[in-house]
Amino acid sequence: MEKVQVVIDFLLTHKLVFTALIVVLVVLVRRTILWKIRGDVAFVSEKQRHWMSRTKNGSFVLTVLLLFVLWQSEINEFALSVTAIAVAIVVASKEIILCFTGSIQRASSRSFRIGDWIEVGKICGEVIEHNMMATVIQEIDLYHGHYHYTGKTATLPNSMFFTYPVKNLNFMKRYVYHDFSIIVPSFVNLYPMIPDIMEKIDGHISYFSDVAKRYNTVIEKHAGVDLPGSEPHIHITSGATGEQIVHFMLFCPTDKATHLEQDIRADFMALYEERFPKETDE
């Protein structure tokens, strides 16, 4: 017992050594827990990401609390000594403070969680980790209508949540409103083609149309708004130089959007060649 007391007195006297031991112990425990959670799988599941994030955040909070208790007297003395320059410290640490408050704002508003698709500014991706300072996402290409991962990982400081609106795109993980257009350079009457192209589209979407209708209803109830619906939509506009633009909108599985677009483009071109053979020859 006396030896234990001697060790405790030594560690309390040499706080730097005690601090190093605490940090090393927490890091070892954290790595062991993360290793147990991850296991031998090649791809981490959403549930595993949740527990890994909780472990990292919990170990960080535990380390801060232990070090605060250990250095409490020194911190109090330091706080009193820097009262005169407190304003300068706040200004210098503005970004850090914004990151912490951004994390609090995210947690209180529940704007997203791990596994959600979000858009912050012009960056879109799936949230794979978030902590007190930053949010890490796997970037997704949404601006070109591909809906696939780019392979890039983006780390967003939480201060961005005060600068840019955070858009939760989580429902797009399964189904998406996919928009695309086809430009017809000649000014011809395309409206007689619409029933034929709609019949082609119905054939392409028949295998998921019932599921899409139910999922669209679920989204409407969750969001509390009247969405366009799960039926395909077509409308035609004219360009500034006389060309016609045929706009398509589909509510379809996200991973099938690109393939459906290609099939519909092929059907439209075949119908156009059949109805306007002279125009295509020109």
Side-chain angles (χ1 to χ4, degrees), residues 189-235:
N189 186 8
L190 299 175
Y191 285 95
M193 290 178 55
I194 291 182
D196 294 332
I197 194 66
M198 286 295 294
E199 183 178 350
K200 296 284 187 181
I201 294 175
D202 290 338
H204 291 307
I205 69 174
S206 59
Y207 70 96
F208 64 80
S209 58
D210 292 338
V211 177
K213 187 178 296 184
R214 290 196 298 269
Y215 192 67
N216 184 267
T217 303
V218 170
I219 296 172
E220 285 185 332
K221 291 182 178 178
H222 179 74
V225 295
D226 185 17
L227 297 177
S230 60
E231 301 80 11
H233 297 272
I234 300 176
H235 69 277

Short mmCIF file of all heavy atoms in Angstrom, two decimals, residues 189-235:
data_model
loop_
_atom_site.label_atom_id
_atom_site.label_comp_id
_atom_site.label_asym_id
_atom_site.label_seq_id
_atom_site.Cartn_x
_atom_site.Cartn_y
_atom_site.Cartn_z
N ASN A 189 -42.82 19.38 -84.83
CA ASN A 189 -43.86 19.08 -83.85
C ASN A 189 -43.52 17.75 -83.15
O ASN A 189 -43.68 16.66 -83.72
CB ASN A 189 -45.22 18.99 -84.53
CG ASN A 189 -46.34 18.82 -83.51
OD1 ASN A 189 -46.13 18.91 -82.30
ND2 ASN A 189 -47.55 18.57 -84.01
N LEU A 190 -43.07 17.83 -81.92
CA LEU A 190 -42.67 16.65 -81.16
C LEU A 190 -43.79 16.08 -80.30
O LEU A 190 -43.66 14.97 -79.78
CB LEU A 190 -41.47 16.99 -80.27
CG LEU A 190 -40.20 17.46 -80.98
CD1 LEU A 190 -39.15 17.87 -79.93
CD2 LEU A 190 -39.63 16.37 -81.86
N TYR A 191 -44.88 16.82 -80.16
CA TYR A 191 -45.93 16.39 -79.24
C TYR A 191 -46.58 15.05 -79.62
O TYR A 191 -46.93 14.26 -78.73
CB TYR A 191 -46.99 17.48 -79.10
CG TYR A 191 -46.50 18.63 -78.24
CD1 TYR A 191 -45.94 19.76 -78.82
CD2 TYR A 191 -46.57 18.57 -76.85
CE1 TYR A 191 -45.48 20.81 -78.04
CE2 TYR A 191 -46.11 19.62 -76.07
CZ TYR A 191 -45.57 20.73 -76.67
OH TYR A 191 -45.10 21.76 -75.89
N PRO A 192 -46.75 14.73 -80.92
CA PRO A 192 -47.29 13.40 -81.24
C PRO A 192 -46.39 12.25 -80.78
O PRO A 192 -46.86 11.11 -80.68
CB PRO A 192 -47.41 13.44 -82.77
CG PRO A 192 -47.56 14.88 -83.11
CD PRO A 192 -46.69 15.60 -82.12
N MET A 193 -45.12 12.53 -80.51
CA MET A 193 -44.21 11.48 -80.06
C MET A 193 -44.36 11.16 -78.57
O MET A 193 -43.91 10.10 -78.12
CB MET A 193 -42.74 11.89 -80.32
CG MET A 193 -42.35 11.94 -81.78
SD MET A 193 -40.62 12.51 -81.95
CE MET A 193 -39.75 11.35 -80.90
N ILE A 194 -44.97 12.08 -77.82
CA ILE A 194 -45.00 11.92 -76.37
C ILE A 194 -45.71 10.63 -75.93
O ILE A 194 -45.19 9.91 -75.07
CB ILE A 194 -45.64 13.16 -75.72
CG1 ILE A 194 -44.69 14.37 -75.87
CG2 ILE A 194 -45.93 12.90 -74.24
CD1 ILE A 194 -45.19 15.63 -75.23
N PRO A 195 -46.90 10.28 -76.49
CA PRO A 195 -47.52 9.02 -76.05
C PRO A 195 -46.64 7.80 -76.30
O PRO A 195 -46.59 6.89 -75.47
CB PRO A 195 -48.81 8.96 -76.88
CG PRO A 195 -49.11 10.39 -77.23
CD PRO A 195 -47.77 11.03 -77.41
N ASP A 196 -45.94 7.78 -77.45
CA ASP A 196 -45.08 6.64 -77.75
C ASP A 196 -43.90 6.55 -76.79
O ASP A 196 -43.56 5.46 -76.31
CB ASP A 196 -44.57 6.74 -79.20
CG ASP A 196 -45.69 6.61 -80.22
OD1 ASP A 196 -46.69 5.95 -79.89
OD2 ASP A 196 -45.56 7.18 -81.32
N ILE A 197 -43.28 7.70 -76.50
CA ILE A 197 -42.13 7.68 -75.60
C ILE A 197 -42.56 7.37 -74.17
O ILE A 197 -41.85 6.69 -73.42
CB ILE A 197 -41.34 9.01 -75.69
CG1 ILE A 197 -39.96 8.85 -75.03
CG2 ILE A 197 -42.09 10.14 -75.05
CD1 ILE A 197 -39.04 7.90 -75.72
N MET A 198 -43.78 7.83 -73.79
CA MET A 198 -44.30 7.49 -72.46
C MET A 198 -44.55 5.99 -72.33
O MET A 198 -44.30 5.39 -71.28
CB MET A 198 -45.59 8.26 -72.18
CG MET A 198 -45.39 9.74 -71.89
SD MET A 198 -44.46 10.02 -70.36
CE MET A 198 -45.61 9.41 -69.15
N GLU A 199 -45.01 5.37 -73.42
CA GLU A 199 -45.22 3.92 -73.40
C GLU A 199 -43.89 3.19 -73.23
O GLU A 199 -43.80 2.20 -72.49
CB GLU A 199 -45.90 3.50 -74.70
CG GLU A 199 -46.24 2.02 -74.76
CD GLU A 199 -46.96 1.64 -76.05
OE1 GLU A 199 -47.35 2.56 -76.81
OE2 GLU A 199 -47.11 0.43 -76.29
N LYS A 200 -42.85 3.70 -73.90
CA LYS A 200 -41.52 3.10 -73.75
C LYS A 200 -41.02 3.25 -72.31
O LYS A 200 -40.46 2.31 -71.72
CB LYS A 200 -40.53 3.77 -74.71
CG LYS A 200 -40.83 3.56 -76.18
CD LYS A 200 -40.44 2.17 -76.63
CE LYS A 200 -40.57 2.02 -78.13
NZ LYS A 200 -40.21 0.65 -78.60
N ILE A 201 -41.22 4.44 -71.74
CA ILE A 201 -40.77 4.69 -70.37
C ILE A 201 -41.51 3.79 -69.39
O ILE A 201 -40.90 3.21 -68.47
CB ILE A 201 -40.97 6.18 -70.00
CG1 ILE A 201 -40.05 7.07 -70.85
CG2 ILE A 201 -40.67 6.40 -68.52
CD1 ILE A 201 -40.28 8.55 -70.64
N ASP A 202 -42.82 3.64 -69.58
CA ASP A 202 -43.60 2.77 -68.69
C ASP A 202 -43.07 1.34 -68.72
O ASP A 202 -43.07 0.64 -67.69
CB ASP A 202 -45.07 2.79 -69.09
CG ASP A 202 -45.74 4.12 -68.77
OD1 ASP A 202 -45.22 4.84 -67.90
OD2 ASP A 202 -46.77 4.44 -69.41
N GLY A 203 -42.62 0.91 -69.90
CA GLY A 203 -42.04 -0.43 -69.98
C GLY A 203 -40.74 -0.56 -69.21
O GLY A 203 -40.47 -1.61 -68.61
N HIS A 204 -39.95 0.52 -69.19
CA HIS A 204 -38.67 0.48 -68.48
C HIS A 204 -38.86 0.53 -66.96
O HIS A 204 -38.04 -0.03 -66.22
CB HIS A 204 -37.80 1.66 -68.91
CG HIS A 204 -37.30 1.55 -70.33
ND1 HIS A 204 -36.64 0.45 -70.81
CD2 HIS A 204 -37.36 2.44 -71.36
CE1 HIS A 204 -36.31 0.63 -72.08
NE2 HIS A 204 -36.75 1.84 -72.44
N ILE A 205 -39.90 1.21 -66.50
CA ILE A 205 -40.05 1.42 -65.05
C ILE A 205 -41.08 0.49 -64.42
O ILE A 205 -41.35 0.59 -63.22
CB ILE A 205 -40.43 2.88 -64.74
CG1 ILE A 205 -41.85 3.18 -65.22
CG2 ILE A 205 -39.43 3.84 -65.35
CD1 ILE A 205 -42.37 4.55 -64.83
N SER A 206 -41.66 -0.42 -65.20
CA SER A 206 -42.77 -1.23 -64.70
C SER A 206 -42.35 -2.10 -63.51
O SER A 206 -43.16 -2.34 -62.61
CB SER A 206 -43.31 -2.12 -65.82
OG SER A 206 -42.28 -2.97 -66.32
N TYR A 207 -41.09 -2.55 -63.48
CA TYR A 207 -40.69 -3.50 -62.43
C TYR A 207 -40.50 -2.83 -61.07
O TYR A 207 -40.43 -3.54 -60.05
CB TYR A 207 -39.40 -4.24 -62.84
CG TYR A 207 -38.15 -3.39 -62.84
CD1 TYR A 207 -37.30 -3.37 -61.74
CD2 TYR A 207 -37.82 -2.63 -63.95
CE1 TYR A 207 -36.14 -2.60 -61.75
CE2 TYR A 207 -36.67 -1.87 -63.97
CZ TYR A 207 -35.84 -1.86 -62.87
OH TYR A 207 -34.70 -1.09 -62.88
N PHE A 208 -40.42 -1.49 -61.01
CA PHE A 208 -40.27 -0.84 -59.70
C PHE A 208 -41.32 0.24 -59.47
O PHE A 208 -41.25 0.95 -58.46
CB PHE A 208 -38.87 -0.23 -59.55
CG PHE A 208 -38.56 0.89 -60.51
CD1 PHE A 208 -39.03 2.18 -60.27
CD2 PHE A 208 -37.79 0.67 -61.64
CE1 PHE A 208 -38.75 3.22 -61.14
CE2 PHE A 208 -37.49 1.70 -62.51
CZ PHE A 208 -37.97 2.98 -62.25
N SER A 209 -42.30 0.38 -60.35
CA SER A 209 -43.24 1.50 -60.25
C SER A 209 -44.07 1.44 -58.95
O SER A 209 -44.32 2.48 -58.33
CB SER A 209 -44.17 1.51 -61.47
OG SER A 209 -44.87 0.28 -61.57
N ASP A 210 -44.49 0.24 -58.53
CA ASP A 210 -45.28 0.13 -57.30
C ASP A 210 -44.46 0.52 -56.07
O ASP A 210 -44.94 1.24 -55.18
CB ASP A 210 -45.82 -1.29 -57.13
CG ASP A 210 -46.86 -1.65 -58.19
OD1 ASP A 210 -47.47 -0.71 -58.74
OD2 ASP A 210 -47.05 -2.85 -58.47
N VAL A 211 -43.23 0.05 -56.01
CA VAL A 211 -42.35 0.39 -54.88
C VAL A 211 -42.06 1.89 -54.88
O VAL A 211 -42.04 2.54 -53.82
CB VAL A 211 -41.04 -0.41 -54.95
CG1 VAL A 211 -40.10 -0.01 -53.81
CG2 VAL A 211 -41.32 -1.90 -54.89
N ALA A 212 -41.85 2.46 -56.07
CA ALA A 212 -41.58 3.89 -56.17
C ALA A 212 -42.76 4.72 -55.68
O ALA A 212 -42.59 5.73 -54.99
CB ALA A 212 -41.25 4.26 -57.62
N LYS A 213 -43.97 4.27 -55.98
CA LYS A 213 -45.16 5.00 -55.54
C LYS A 213 -45.27 4.99 -54.02
O LYS A 213 -45.55 6.01 -53.38
CB LYS A 213 -46.40 4.38 -56.17
CG LYS A 213 -47.68 5.16 -55.92
CD LYS A 213 -48.87 4.50 -56.63
CE LYS A 213 -48.67 4.54 -58.13
NZ LYS A 213 -49.86 3.99 -58.85
N ARG A 214 -45.01 3.82 -53.41
CA ARG A 214 -45.08 3.72 -51.94
C ARG A 214 -43.98 4.55 -51.29
O ARG A 214 -44.22 5.26 -50.30
CB ARG A 214 -44.95 2.26 -51.51
CG ARG A 214 -46.16 1.40 -51.85
CD ARG A 214 -46.15 0.11 -51.07
NE ARG A 214 -44.99 -0.70 -51.37
CZ ARG A 214 -44.96 -1.62 -52.32
NH1 ARG A 214 -46.03 -1.86 -53.08
NH2 ARG A 214 -43.86 -2.33 -52.54
N TYR A 215 -42.77 4.50 -51.86
CA TYR A 215 -41.66 5.26 -51.28
C TYR A 215 -41.90 6.75 -51.42
O TYR A 215 -41.58 7.53 -50.51
CB TYR A 215 -40.36 4.86 -51.96
CG TYR A 215 -39.12 5.36 -51.27
CD1 TYR A 215 -38.76 4.88 -50.01
CD2 TYR A 215 -38.30 6.32 -51.87
CE1 TYR A 215 -37.62 5.34 -49.37
CE2 TYR A 215 -37.16 6.77 -51.24
CZ TYR A 215 -36.83 6.28 -49.99
OH TYR A 215 -35.70 6.74 -49.35
N ASN A 216 -42.47 7.17 -52.54
CA ASN A 216 -42.80 8.58 -52.74
C ASN A 216 -43.81 9.06 -51.71
O ASN A 216 -43.70 10.17 -51.17
CB ASN A 216 -43.33 8.79 -54.16
CG ASN A 216 -43.60 10.24 -54.48
OD1 ASN A 216 -44.70 10.74 -54.31
ND2 ASN A 216 -42.58 10.94 -54.96
N THR A 217 -44.79 8.21 -51.39
CA THR A 217 -45.79 8.55 -50.36
C THR A 217 -45.14 8.69 -48.99
O THR A 217 -45.47 9.59 -48.22
CB THR A 217 -46.89 7.48 -50.32
OG1 THR A 217 -47.48 7.36 -51.62
CG2 THR A 217 -47.96 7.85 -49.31
N VAL A 218 -44.19 7.79 -48.68
CA VAL A 218 -43.48 7.86 -47.40
C VAL A 218 -42.71 9.16 -47.28
O VAL A 218 -42.72 9.83 -46.23
CB VAL A 218 -42.54 6.65 -47.25
CG1 VAL A 218 -41.61 6.83 -46.04
CG2 VAL A 218 -43.33 5.37 -47.11
N ILE A 219 -42.04 9.57 -48.36
CA ILE A 219 -41.26 10.81 -48.34
C ILE A 219 -42.19 12.01 -48.15
O ILE A 219 -41.88 12.94 -47.40
CB ILE A 219 -40.45 10.96 -49.65
CG1 ILE A 219 -39.42 9.83 -49.76
CG2 ILE A 219 -39.74 12.31 -49.69
CD1 ILE A 219 -38.70 9.80 -51.09
N GLU A 220 -43.34 12.01 -48.84
CA GLU A 220 -44.29 13.11 -48.70
C GLU A 220 -44.77 13.25 -47.25
O GLU A 220 -44.85 14.36 -46.71
CB GLU A 220 -45.49 12.88 -49.62
CG GLU A 220 -45.20 13.16 -51.08
CD GLU A 220 -46.44 13.03 -51.94
OE1 GLU A 220 -47.35 12.25 -51.57
OE2 GLU A 220 -46.52 13.70 -52.99
N LYS A 221 -45.07 12.12 -46.60
CA LYS A 221 -45.53 12.17 -45.22
C LYS A 221 -44.42 12.65 -44.29
O LYS A 221 -44.66 13.41 -43.35
CB LYS A 221 -46.03 10.79 -44.79
CG LYS A 221 -47.32 10.37 -45.47
CD LYS A 221 -47.78 9.01 -44.98
CE LYS A 221 -49.10 8.60 -45.63
NZ LYS A 221 -49.54 7.24 -45.18
N HIS A 222 -43.21 12.18 -44.54
CA HIS A 222 -42.09 12.56 -43.69
C HIS A 222 -41.75 14.04 -43.85
O HIS A 222 -41.48 14.74 -42.86
CB HIS A 222 -40.87 11.70 -44.03
CG HIS A 222 -39.67 12.04 -43.23
ND1 HIS A 222 -39.53 11.69 -41.90
CD2 HIS A 222 -38.51 12.71 -43.55
CE1 HIS A 222 -38.37 12.13 -41.43
NE2 HIS A 222 -37.74 12.74 -42.42
N ALA A 223 -41.76 14.53 -45.10
CA ALA A 223 -41.40 15.92 -45.36
C ALA A 223 -42.56 16.88 -45.13
O ALA A 223 -42.35 18.07 -44.90
CB ALA A 223 -40.87 16.07 -46.79
N GLY A 224 -43.80 16.36 -45.23
CA GLY A 224 -44.97 17.21 -45.05
C GLY A 224 -45.23 18.14 -46.21
O GLY A 224 -45.81 19.21 -46.05
N VAL A 225 -44.79 17.74 -47.43
CA VAL A 225 -45.00 18.56 -48.62
C VAL A 225 -45.56 17.68 -49.73
O VAL A 225 -45.45 16.46 -49.71
CB VAL A 225 -43.68 19.23 -49.09
CG1 VAL A 225 -43.19 20.21 -48.06
CG2 VAL A 225 -42.61 18.19 -49.39
N ASP A 226 -46.15 18.34 -50.73
CA ASP A 226 -46.72 17.64 -51.88
C ASP A 226 -45.65 17.56 -52.96
O ASP A 226 -45.34 18.55 -53.62
CB ASP A 226 -47.96 18.38 -52.38
CG ASP A 226 -48.66 17.63 -53.50
OD1 ASP A 226 -48.38 16.42 -53.65
OD2 ASP A 226 -49.45 18.24 -54.22
N LEU A 227 -45.06 16.38 -53.15
CA LEU A 227 -44.00 16.19 -54.14
C LEU A 227 -44.61 15.95 -55.52
O LEU A 227 -45.81 15.66 -55.64
CB LEU A 227 -43.13 15.00 -53.73
CG LEU A 227 -42.37 15.17 -52.41
CD1 LEU A 227 -41.60 13.89 -52.07
CD2 LEU A 227 -41.42 16.35 -52.48
N PRO A 228 -43.82 16.06 -56.59
CA PRO A 228 -44.36 15.90 -57.95
C PRO A 228 -45.02 14.56 -58.21
O PRO A 228 -45.85 14.44 -59.09
CB PRO A 228 -43.11 16.08 -58.83
CG PRO A 228 -42.18 16.91 -58.01
CD PRO A 228 -42.42 16.50 -56.60
N GLY A 229 -44.66 13.52 -57.46
CA GLY A 229 -45.25 12.20 -57.69
C GLY A 229 -44.24 11.25 -58.29
O GLY A 229 -43.15 11.64 -58.72
N SER A 230 -44.61 9.98 -58.35
CA SER A 230 -43.69 8.95 -58.86
C SER A 230 -43.83 8.72 -60.36
O SER A 230 -43.06 7.97 -60.95
CB SER A 230 -43.93 7.63 -58.11
OG SER A 230 -45.27 7.19 -58.31
N GLU A 231 -44.83 9.35 -61.00
CA GLU A 231 -45.02 9.15 -62.44
C GLU A 231 -43.98 9.94 -63.24
O GLU A 231 -43.57 11.02 -62.83
CB GLU A 231 -46.42 9.61 -62.86
CG GLU A 231 -47.57 8.88 -62.17
CD GLU A 231 -47.84 9.42 -60.80
OE1 GLU A 231 -47.28 10.50 -60.46
OE2 GLU A 231 -48.57 8.77 -60.03
N PRO A 232 -43.56 9.40 -64.38
CA PRO A 232 -42.61 10.15 -65.22
C PRO A 232 -43.26 11.39 -65.82
O PRO A 232 -44.47 11.40 -66.10
CB PRO A 232 -42.23 9.14 -66.31
CG PRO A 232 -43.33 8.15 -66.34
CD PRO A 232 -43.87 8.07 -64.93
N HIS A 233 -42.47 12.43 -66.01
CA HIS A 233 -42.99 13.69 -66.56
C HIS A 233 -42.14 14.10 -67.77
O HIS A 233 -40.91 13.94 -67.78
CB HIS A 233 -42.92 14.80 -65.51
CG HIS A 233 -43.77 14.55 -64.30
ND1 HIS A 233 -45.10 14.92 -64.23
CD2 HIS A 233 -43.49 13.95 -63.12
CE1 HIS A 233 -45.60 14.56 -63.07
NE2 HIS A 233 -44.64 13.97 -62.37
N ILE A 234 -42.83 14.62 -68.78
CA ILE A 234 -42.15 15.13 -69.98
C ILE A 234 -42.75 16.49 -70.31
O ILE A 234 -43.97 16.66 -70.32
CB ILE A 234 -42.35 14.19 -71.19
CG1 ILE A 234 -41.78 12.79 -70.90
CG2 ILE A 234 -41.66 14.77 -72.43
CD1 ILE A 234 -42.03 11.80 -72.04
N HIS A 235 -41.88 17.47 -70.58
CA HIS A 235 -42.37 18.74 -71.12
C HIS A 235 -41.32 19.29 -72.09
O HIS A 235 -40.14 18.96 -72.01
CB HIS A 235 -42.69 19.75 -70.02
CG HIS A 235 -41.50 20.26 -69.29
ND1 HIS A 235 -40.92 19.59 -68.24
CD2 HIS A 235 -40.78 21.41 -69.43
CE1 HIS A 235 -39.90 20.28 -67.76
NE2 HIS A 235 -39.79 21.38 -68.48
#
